[in-house]
Amino acid sequence: IMDQVDERNGGLGDQPKFPQPMIYELLLRHHLRSQDPQALQTVELTLERMAKGGIYDQIAGGFHRYSTDAVWLVPHFEKMLYDNALLVKLYLHAYQVTGSPLHRRVVEETLSYVVREMTDPEGGFYSSLDADSEGVEGKFFLWGPEEVSRVLGKHDGEVVNRFYGVTDEGNFEGRNILHVAADTSALATDFGASEEDVENLLSRSRARLLEAREQRVKPGRDEKVLTAWNGLMLRAFAEAGAVLSRPDYVGIANRNAKFVLEKLRRGDRLLRTYKNGKAGLKGYLEDYAFLADGLIALHEAT
């Protein structure tokens, strides 16, 4: 694995780059067992570059499916439940090892995204969000500098455009994929503000940009509930609830477990999929394995 590491940009190999969270879980555990500093450095570099890149939704939280380039900038814009479940767990474990506020923020923002956009009223988790809207890939997620300033005002817009690398030329078909392009300390110096003021400005600007983006035509959502993928996200919520002392996360996990056990079980057998009040297909091995793993995590949390 270490022979394949991109030491400049993180990740493995050149392009495209998939998150592959299980590899970094392995490196993290190898570091804990052996105290190998290079393994931890690789995990840290990769998680930081992904969190600051276009593969991460800087406004709403959550990860796109993969990066088409080596620098994590231009993603395939689809969002998958299983990717986000495994990445939440990885960032959570990295937070436990390093205490990095960035890792914790990614966990909380991604779980907020799942609650807001990927949760069925009955407690199940939806499968995915399309890459396209209005027939154009990524359209929902792209911005122009004037659009940002129109939402935020001239001053705040200028700061946010600098921070997220939003330019007139754009970085994707004349528009902009938001990514972290500047350091908050440098912005504070340039705009004559404290770093805390800049952080607060960015935080409230993200909320306002999200509100504005919600008015756009949204990508299609695959609203089937898969037992296996729900087991993965169940574990992510249960474990995050325990580690971060967030009883709300544990409550979401508990509700999801009850839903799956009630709606996706027939006798002592699991079913695979649920949509519009109907469950069907016999469960596969991964349905049993991932649900059992999620239920163990919930048992430990409660």
Side-chain angles (χ1 to χ4, degrees):
I1 291 171
M2 296 305 293
D3 287 344
Q4 299 176 56
V5 171
D6 179 343
E7 294 180 2
R8 172 175 294 192
N9 303 303
L12 303 182
D14 189 18
Q15 61 190 48
K17 280 182 175 167
F18 286 79
Q20 302 187 80
M22 302 312 294
I23 287 177
Y24 304 104
E25 288 274 8
L26 173 65
L27 291 179
L28 202 55
R29 289 170 187 278
H30 170 66
H31 163 72
L32 289 171
R33 189 175 291 118
S34 68
Q35 297 303 302
D36 176 359
Q38 193 179 4
L40 182 61
Q41 286 165 13
T42 296
V43 174
E44 281 283 85
L45 174 64
T46 301
L47 295 197
E48 182 182 343
R49 292 301 168 86
M50 284 201 302
K52 292 183 175 180
I55 192 173
Y56 184 66
D57 186 340
Q58 300 293 336
I59 296 301
F63 288 87
H64 300 293
R65 195 170 193 181
Y66 64 89
S67 176
T68 63
D69 56 31
V71 297
W72 306 106
L73 174 62
V74 180
H76 177 55
F77 289 91
E78 191 174 18
K79 283 181 171 181
M80 308 301 296
L81 186 72
Y82 63 85
D83 282 327
N84 283 288
L86 292 169
L87 284 162
V88 162
K89 197 170 67 159
L90 172 60
Y91 275 85
L92 183 70
H93 293 165
Y95 170 72
Q96 287 180 281
V97 174
T98 66
S100 164
L102 174 65
H103 297 338
R104 177 170 184 150
R105 182 166 68 82
V106 167
V107 169
E108 293 183 326
E109 287 178 354
T110 301
L111 291 179
S112 292
Y113 153 72
V114 173
V115 171
R116 189 176 59 248
E117 298 186 43
M118 300 297 286
T119 302
D120 182 273
E122 295 182 86
F125 300 123
Y126 298 138
S127 292
S128 65
L129 201 66
D130 284 351
D132 301 359
S133 57
E134 300 179 85
V136 180
E137 180 171 356
K139 182 175 182 179
F140 181 75
F141 301 99
L142 303 175
W143 296 84
E146 290 182 4
E147 190 178 11
V148 171
S149 294
R150 193 163 60 246
V151 174
L152 301 177
K154 187 172 184 299
H155 174 267
D156 289 7
E158 190 177 345
V159 176
V160 168
N161 282 331
R162 280 271 300 281
F163 183 72
Y164 287 121
V166 181
T167 64
D168 290 327
E169 299 77 32
N171 54 31
F172 182 75
E173 299 178 357
R175 301 272 284 158
N176 291 273
I177 300 164
L178 302 189
H179 66 291
V180 177
D183 190 84
T184 51
S185 60
L187 284 177
T189 301
D190 291 349
F191 285 93
S194 70
E195 197 167 347
E196 185 181 2
D197 287 341
V198 171
E199 293 279 8
N200 289 336
L201 184 155
L202 292 170
S203 180
R204 67 174 181 265
S205 295
R206 277 193 292 269
R208 290 167 66 189
L209 289 174
L210 177 60
E211 190 179 332
R213 199 178 77 177
E214 284 293 294
Q215 307 308 310
R216 299 176 181 177
V217 176
K218 293 185 177 183
R221 185 169 62 187
D222 183 348
E223 295 187 351
K224 69 174 175 286
V225 175
L226 295 174
T227 300
W229 298 4
N230 273 246
L232 292 173
M233 190 57 79
L234 164 61
R235 169 149 193 181
F237 272 103
E239 202 172 339
V243 170
L244 304 179
S245 299
R246 290 284 303 262
D248 54 326
Y249 290 165
V250 178
I252 291 163
N254 201 44
R255 183 166 174 256
N256 177 255
K258 285 182 177 177
F259 167 80
V260 174
L261 291 172
E262 285 176 11
K263 303 291 187 179
L264 283 147
R265 186 167 57 163
R266 189 174 293 155
D268 60 354
R269 297 293 181 95
L270 288 177
L271 298 174
R272 169 74 172 168
T273 182
Y274 177 92
K275 188 177 181 182
N276 297 332
K278 294 181 181 178
L281 304 182
K282 292 177 181 176
Y284 295 112
L285 180 61
E286 70 167 15
D287 295 300
Y288 288 91
F290 294 157
L291 180 60
D293 195 41
L295 292 172
I296 288 168
L298 180 59
H299 172 72
E300 290 176 341
T302 61

